């Protein structure tokens, strides 16, 4: 694995590979890697000549300072894990490389309703931060394919907008490569009891960890039995069940159109529906979702 800290060096290196017609797969992460991240890297390896992974804990997407401070950063272990899957390139940028004009001058992207809806409503400014870091990373890496986890479904929708060529309102249109990257959404990797893998899971104590599996159990029930209920009644019951998990508090649980991510209020309103939820267990906020099975 080749390690880069300077964006200019990575840019030149990748430019040479691209001129040799090598395809580039890109897996952006914030580190504290687990099997979920590795699954994205494996898929990228299988589908591209070169796979670039970034580890960058993006300060702009943390609305909660404490969350940023305590975010795990086990970089040596991460490098070992990347070696086990034969990742080709690791980019470890410094903040001044990602935000040359400083964190005070973030760009505005038109993210539509995604910006203030669900995750966006709970974490003001979060998706603006995600959009900015992804815009910058895509400028540097210019991948053929971009690998993202369904685990952060709303984030996939936000990044699809960035990749779709929506420029910051203030910037000249030019980046022809944006349209070229294909977004590949990868399935959620789970523990054997169903809990979605997350870098934040290590902050659960053993009791909370055991109870947190109740989130995916509820989602799997919804995924498999939704058509036996009215949507509003199912939503209410699901929230009640989740809130009855010890130390758990539902932040949101919503049914959305998989395509537009608009909320739906009846099963007939969309062809494909996803149930997304955020639940705080103790101090740890956990995200999960399930696309409803077709009947
Ligand atoms: P993060 O390091 O949390 O920013 O995540 C980096 C990428 O890994 C994102 O595209 C996530 O959606 C994805 N990811 C995180 N957890 C999982 C998981 N359990 N299964 C699959 N992908 C995941």
């Amino acid at each position: 694995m080749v390690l880069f800290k300077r964006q200019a060096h990575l840019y030149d290196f990748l430019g040479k590979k691209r001129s040799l017609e090598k395809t580039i797969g890109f897996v952006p992460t914030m580190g504290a890697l687990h099997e979920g991240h590795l699954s994205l890297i494996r898929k990228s390896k299988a589908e591209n000549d070169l796979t670039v992974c970034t580890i960058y804990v993006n300060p702009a997407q943390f609305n909660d300072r404490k969350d940023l401070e305590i975010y795990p950063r086990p970089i040596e272990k991460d490098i070992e894990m990347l070696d086990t899957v034969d990742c080709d390139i690791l980019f470890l940028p410094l903040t001044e490389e990602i935000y040359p004009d400083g964190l005070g001058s973030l760009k505005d992207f038109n993210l539509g309703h995604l910006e203030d809806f669900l995750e966006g409503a709970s974490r003001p400014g979060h998706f603006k931060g995600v959009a900015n870091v992804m815009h910058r990373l895509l400028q540097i890496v210019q991948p053929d394919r971009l690998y993202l986890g369904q685990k952060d479904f709303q984030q996939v929708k936000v990044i699809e907008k960035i990749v779709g060529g929506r420029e910051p309102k203030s910037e000249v249109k030019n980046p022809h490569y944006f349209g070229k990257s294909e977004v590949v959404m990868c399935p959620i990797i789970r523990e054997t009891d169903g809990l979605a893998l997350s870098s934040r899971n290590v902050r659960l104590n053993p009791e909370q960890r055991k109870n947190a599996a109740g989130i995916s159990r509820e989602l799997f029930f919804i995924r498999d039995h939704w058509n036996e209920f009215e949507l509003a009644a199912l939503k209410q019951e699901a929230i009640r069940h989740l809130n009855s998990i010890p130390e758990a508090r539902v932040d949101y649980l919503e049914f959305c159109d998989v395509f537009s991510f608009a909320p739906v209020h009846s099963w007939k309103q969309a062809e494909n529906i996803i149930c997304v939820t955020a639940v705080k267990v103790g101090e740890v906020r956990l995200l999960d979702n399930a696309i409803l099975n077709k009947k």
Side-chain angles (χ1 to χ4, degrees):
M1 186 164 66
V2 190
L3 191 146
F4 290 90
K5 289 194 171 177
R6 295 283 167 200
Q7 64 88 14
H9 297 164
L10 176 64
Y11 186 86
D12 288 349
F13 180 90
L14 292 176
K16 289 193 190 103
K17 298 292 177 187
R18 218 174 284 112
S19 67
L20 299 171
E21 312 253 302
K22 302 282 183 205
T23 57
I24 299 168
F26 180 34
V27 182
T29 83
M30 298 205 300
L33 301 180
H34 50 63
E35 270 302 312
H37 299 112
L38 298 191
S39 74
L40 308 190
I41 292 173
R42 285 194 196 96
K43 188 150 172 67
S44 172
K45 291 272 306 174
E47 297 178 352
N48 300 280
D49 297 317
L50 278 176
T51 291
V52 180
C53 174
T54 46
I55 296 182
Y56 177 61
V57 182
N58 174 30
Q61 71 185 69
F62 284 80
N63 55 312
D64 177 349
R65 234 191 122 75
K66 179 155 173 277
D67 195 26
L68 172 63
E69 276 164 20
I70 63 176
Y71 201 86
R73 293 168 172 85
I75 187 63
E76 275 164 26
K77 182 159 167 270
D78 284 349
I79 291 175
E80 279 171 27
M81 287 181 80
L82 289 173
D83 272 332
T84 66
V85 286
D86 225 5
C87 181
D88 302 295
I89 295 158
L90 171 60
F91 179 39
L92 283 176
L94 296 170
T95 287
E96 51 262 41
E97 297 267 295
I98 298 295
Y99 298 106
D101 302 326
L103 281 160
S105 53
L106 295 185
K107 297 177 174 78
D108 276 320
F109 291 84
N110 182 4
L111 303 176
H113 81 296
L114 296 173
E115 184 139 19
D116 309 313
F117 181 52
L118 300 182
E119 254 333 83
S122 297
R123 304 180 66 188
H126 171 66
F127 286 125
K128 184 175 182 178
V130 169
N132 270 268
V133 76
M134 284 310 303
H135 180 253
R136 182 75 177 128
L137 290 172
L138 287 166
Q139 278 182 327
I140 299 166
V141 179
Q142 304 184 25
D144 296 275
R145 298 185 190 83
L146 172 62
Y147 294 82
L148 304 170
Q150 183 190 319
K151 159 90 179 357
D152 301 283
F153 187 80
Q154 190 171 352
Q155 175 171 276
V156 175
K157 292 284 152 187
V158 165
I159 295 172
E160 275 175 353
K161 289 209 164 204
I162 306 300
V163 175
R166 307 239 174 150
E167 275 298 89
K169 288 166 197 156
S170 57
E171 237 178 58
V172 187
K173 288 193 172 137
N174 189 23
H176 62 275
Y177 53 87
F178 276 8
K180 216 179 69 169
S181 298
E182 175 195 348
V183 172
V184 182
M185 186 172 80
C186 304
I188 303 175
I189 305 298
R190 299 177 177 283
E191 301 280 5
T192 45
D193 66 0
L195 178 67
L197 296 192
S198 163
S199 309
R200 293 192 167 89
N201 291 353
V202 293
R203 288 169 46 205
L204 298 165
N205 70 33
E207 196 58 25
Q208 292 168 336
R209 166 64 194 82
K210 188 158 70 61
N211 294 331
I215 302 169
S216 53
R217 264 202 303 281
E218 190 62 33
L219 283 170
F220 296 160
F221 177 84
I222 291 169
R223 179 194 66 195
D224 299 336
H225 297 278
W226 58 274
N227 65 334
E228 298 163 27
F229 305 90
E230 295 286 342
L231 187 152
L234 182 58
K235 181 170 159 181
Q236 200 181 14
E237 267 304 276
I239 292 173
R240 199 175 61 77
H241 287 166
L242 290 172
N243 278 331
S244 71
I245 296 172
E247 292 186 69
R249 184 82 359 226
V250 174
D251 183 356
Y252 60 77
L253 180 137
E254 197 57 79
F255 291 96
C256 295
D257 184 329
V258 165
F259 182 68
S260 66
F261 207 63
V264 295
H265 306 290
S266 86
W267 302 131
K268 293 203 185 96
Q269 225 176 308
E271 181 93 5
N272 294 292
I273 296 176
I274 187 165
C275 179
V276 288
T277 191
V279 182
K280 231 174 155 189
V281 178
E283 287 303 306
V284 189
R285 200 159 166 281
L286 301 172
L287 301 190
D288 203 348
N289 64 67
I291 294 173
L292 308 191
N293 281 338
K294 291 252 183 183
K295 291 290 165 188

